[in-house]
Amino acid sequence: MSSATSRTLRLLPLAALVASPLALAAEPLKVFSPRLADPEAPIYTTFTAETGIPVELVETSMEAFTDGMRAAAEEGATPPADVLMVVDSANIHRQRQAGWFQPLESETLEARVPAALRDLEAGWSGYATRARVIVVNEAKLDWVPESYEALTDPRLAGRLCLGGGASAYNTSLVSAMVAHHGAEQAEAWVEGLSANLARPAGGRDGELFAALAAEGDCAVTVANHYYLLRMLGGEEAEQRELAESLTLVWPNQAGEGLEGRGAYRNVAAFAVARGTPNADAARLFLEHTASDAVQQDVAEGIFYPVVADIGPVEAEAVFGEATMDALAITAMGEQAETAREIMLRAGWE
């Protein structure tokens, strides 16, 4: 997300000058967020300015953090953080099942964040979303797929290149297919993808873009929208030119029923840690992540805001507006194990 300090001053309301009861204690709110690790990011600095509650970023390994959260869930120990960032539906589902989250009540979050992008009974709320889209090199194709289902079309035989099946991004996409179509049809879809592969699955999104742009059979892939957006806005001319040679296709934008359900999206969320002694401050922080100011900061970066009517959105300015799949993140996460089993049977590893 953008971390421009010039925007920080603009975000401060007059209420920031008034100390709240929580602010008087001034006990730091501990946040574990490796993907948003800049302590000067506006999401943190404006929270402190508005509430008087300092934010302390927990810097530790994922292994140590996992051990601490497990001890909190199983032994009633104090968790290593009050709030944690969690990305991807499967991770949310797994950590909820492990007892890492603490339920919360918030009329603010209920009013501002769509139900599909939060689960307050579980203890988490969405902060930003990303779409997994189709990316093509039109110069290599006579026909362009416009839905996820169309990726199995025989016209793409030997033209499809995909990342590894162990990727959480790909697993969650299959989870969404299971949620929409059922396990049997989702497995047939994965087998259809495998039949169209130009080479064994593997590689990160940027590597797949390079394969699409280069000579060779790779002409179609699926990727997170922000990889292409970041390359287009980057400082490296070679990367910009590569990205400009490719076309982003918003999937499932037209048709009846599931055909027009919209592009798959996943979420980055914040959750209240089970057993935190700072539950009130944690709730305030989650509400802060859904504020207009923070959501506008998201919109001006490479992700999508979770709150409606926030704009302008940089991704929309570059790629155009798109309908997003309304599938609930919880419904997707519940299919993660089934999705992984399907992928292993198909050899997508």
Side-chain angles (χ1 to χ4, degrees):
M1 309 301 167
S2 171
S3 58
T5 55
S6 61
R7 191 179 304 125
T8 301
L9 295 177
R10 172 171 59 83
L11 300 178
L12 301 184
L14 291 176
L17 301 176
V18 181
S20 69
L22 282 171
L24 296 177
E27 182 176 351
L29 180 75
K30 296 182 179 180
V31 177
F32 182 72
S33 180
R35 296 196 181 208
L36 197 57
D38 180 4
E40 296 303 315
I43 190 174
Y44 304 131
T45 58
T46 56
F47 174 72
T48 298
E50 291 170 3
T51 65
I53 303 171
V55 173
E56 177 184 321
L57 296 184
V58 176
E59 299 180 4
T60 187
S61 67
M62 179 56 72
E63 181 180 6
F65 183 76
T66 298
D67 288 343
M69 292 304 299
R70 185 178 295 119
E74 297 176 358
E75 305 167 14
T78 300
D82 306 305
V83 170
L84 59 147
M85 189 179 201
V86 55
V87 177
D88 185 77
S89 62
N91 290 331
I92 291 173
H93 179 71
R94 182 169 55 252
Q95 293 177 12
R96 178 190 180 183
Q97 293 293 96
W100 284 21
F101 306 155
Q102 177 170 304
L104 74 152
E105 296 182 359
S106 171
E107 293 182 359
T108 297
L109 293 174
E110 287 181 353
R112 294 185 61 80
V113 180
L117 301 177
R118 58 171 164 81
D119 186 348
L120 303 189
E121 291 184 3
W124 65 270
S125 183
Y127 157 65
T129 66
R130 61 178 185 270
R132 196 135 181 92
V133 298
I134 298 171
V135 180
V136 305
N137 184 337
E138 291 187 274
K140 294 183 178 182
L141 296 170
D142 297 323
W143 171 81
V144 174
E146 295 184 348
S147 70
Y148 300 110
E149 290 79 1
L151 294 172
T152 64
D153 192 291
R155 284 175 286 186
L156 296 182
R159 312 300 279 164
L160 182 64
C161 288
L162 297 173
S167 161
Y169 305 137
N170 288 328
T171 299
S172 288
L173 177 58
V174 177
S175 298
M177 296 298 286
V178 174
H180 280 308
H181 293 289
E184 185 175 345
Q185 288 189 44
E187 185 153 7
W189 179 73
V190 170
E191 291 172 350
L193 296 181
S194 298
N196 280 348
L197 288 177
R199 65 185 192 186
R204 298 177 65 85
D205 287 359
E207 296 169 332
L208 294 168
F209 292 163
L212 263 60
E215 294 184 4
D217 294 330
C218 291
V220 181
T221 192
V222 292
N224 287 347
H225 83 274
Y226 63 83
Y227 280 96
L228 198 62
L229 183 61
R230 188 161 51 195
M231 291 171 66
L232 287 169
E235 296 181 356
E236 296 184 23
E238 183 178 352
Q239 290 292 296
R240 289 198 306 273
E241 292 174 5
L242 188 159
E244 289 168 356
S245 72
L246 306 177
T247 300
L248 182 147
V249 178
W250 289 115
N252 297 83
Q253 297 298 298
E256 299 295 327
L258 291 177
E259 186 65 23
R261 67 184 179 273
Y264 152 94
R265 62 181 174 179
N266 214 318
V267 72
F270 283 97
V272 179
R274 180 174 293 278
T276 171
N278 296 323
D280 286 340
R283 173 185 53 78
L284 286 177
F285 181 79
L286 264 64
E287 291 175 346
H288 176 71
T289 69
S291 66
D292 281 352
V294 171
Q295 287 295 296
Q296 186 60 59
D297 194 54
V298 172
E300 293 175 5
I302 59 175
F303 298 100
Y304 277 85
V306 297
V307 173
D309 300 323
I310 295 292
V313 178
E314 180 65 15
E316 291 180 349
V318 175
F319 299 128
E321 295 184 9
T323 298
M324 295 294 173
D325 190 349
L327 179 66
I329 297 300
T330 53
M332 194 188 312
E334 289 168 355
Q335 302 300 332
E337 292 182 8
T338 299
R340 192 71 191 115
E341 291 169 359
I342 287 172
M343 297 169 81
L344 289 174
R345 284 196 293 270
W348 193 1
E349 300 183 17

